Amino acid sequence: MNENFSIDELKAHLLKSITDFNTLVESLDKQEFEGHPGGKWSAGQDLKHLVKSNRTFGLVFSLPLFLLNFMYGKANRPSRSLSALKMKYAEKANNSGLQAPGYLKPGNIYFEEKEVWIRKHNGSGAYLLKCLDRYSESELDENTMGHPLFGKVTVREMFMSIFIHIYHHHAILLKKLGKSA
């Protein structure tokens, strides 16, 4: 199976991950949205964290390519497949005890803010989709950037990691709510 997603396929996966997450959050009542099952983040906090993460990645994607190349250099290997990234993500996220850095921690969020944060999630996703248009297919594999979990990754891998991250939080939220996919 070819997992070297084209720009259009990356866009489709990113949009689907955001839509699926937002659809789940939209369906939640006040208790489900604000509750902290098992002392974990609430659904609202997961949402706010994803918005903050997407905005951070958007800032990185807005950097000129020459600056990214200066900071991280060019790729010295082909982009990894989606399945390879998913395995590495699961290994790092589940076994490393890694926590979101302070600037990505969500703080409190209330049910009355739900629609605002869903719109912000859609907006941050729309910006990421727009950022993809800045790159050619070859530039996605030739250029690198720093990822907080994986280290140096290609731009294509970075975009795949974003929808992996969203689906990771989606799966966690379903589990916390006792729901199935």
Side-chain angles (χ1 to χ4, degrees), residues 125-137:
Y127 184 75
L128 290 172
L129 293 171
K130 186 177 171 184
C131 287
L132 255 168
D133 290 330
R134 296 184 54 219
Y135 299 94
S136 68
E137 289 290 342

Side-chain angles (χ1 to χ4, degrees), residues 28-40:
L28 303 179
D29 63 26
K30 182 177 176 69
Q31 177 56 41
E32 291 170 321
F33 186 78
E34 292 182 0
H36 295 269
K40 303 287 186 184

Side-chain angles (χ1 to χ4, degrees), residues 17-38:
S17 68
I18 291 167
T19 301
D20 288 351
F21 188 87
N22 287 349
T23 299
L24 173 60
V25 171
E26 284 174 338
S27 73
L28 303 179
D29 63 26
K30 182 177 176 69
Q31 177 56 41
E32 291 170 321
F33 186 78
E34 292 182 0
H36 295 269

Side-chain angles (χ1 to χ4, degrees), residues 9-180:
E9 290 169 321
L10 289 169
K11 285 180 176 181
H13 280 275
L14 182 59
L15 184 58
K16 182 169 176 17
S17 68
I18 291 167
T19 301
D20 288 351
F21 188 87
N22 287 349
T23 299
L24 173 60
V25 171
E26 284 174 338
S27 73
L28 303 179
D29 63 26
K30 182 177 176 69
Q31 177 56 41
E32 291 170 321
F33 186 78
E34 292 182 0
H36 295 269
K40 303 287 186 184
W41 283 352
S42 69
Q45 288 175 308
D46 280 321
L47 174 61
K48 192 172 180 180
H49 165 74
L50 290 173
V51 170
K52 288 179 155 204
S53 295
N54 288 352
R55 286 179 173 172
T56 301
F57 286 125
L59 288 173
V60 174
F61 287 125
S62 69
L63 295 173
L65 276 179
F66 79 87
L67 188 53
L68 285 176
N69 291 333
F70 175 75
M71 292 167 58
Y72 300 106
K74 291 280 197 171
N76 60 2
R77 60 168 175 74
S79 292
R80 289 173 278 198
S81 68
L82 177 64
S83 57
L85 280 176
K86 281 181 176 179
M87 282 184 6
K88 190 145 182 98
Y89 188 93
E91 173 190 312
K92 294 270 190 180
N94 297 330
N95 299 328
S96 68
L98 186 72
Q99 291 187 355
Y103 65 94
L104 294 180
K105 289 188 178 173
N108 291 333
I109 181 168
Y110 302 100
F111 185 74
E112 295 74 23
E113 301 172 277
K114 179 170 81 167
E115 292 304 318
V116 169
W117 282 98
I118 288 171
R119 280 194 306 275
K120 288 180 180 187
H121 194 214
N122 284 327
S124 67
Y127 184 75
L128 290 172
L129 293 171
K130 186 177 171 184
C131 287
L132 255 168
D133 290 330
R134 296 184 54 219
Y135 299 94
S136 68
E137 289 290 342
S138 62
E139 288 171 335
L140 291 176
D141 297 313
E142 295 167 356
N143 297 284
T144 62
M145 50 185 51
H147 187 282
L149 201 57
F150 299 132
K152 194 164 130 176
V153 297
T154 66
V155 174
R156 188 181 309 275
E157 291 169 342
M158 183 66 89
F159 275 103
M160 287 190 291
S161 77
I162 294 168
F163 59 77
I164 290 169
H165 180 230
I166 295 168
Y167 275 125
H168 171 75
H169 281 274
H170 188 256
I172 289 171
L173 182 53
L174 285 171
K175 186 176 179 180
K176 286 188 288 192
L177 295 168
K179 298 182 178 192
S180 60

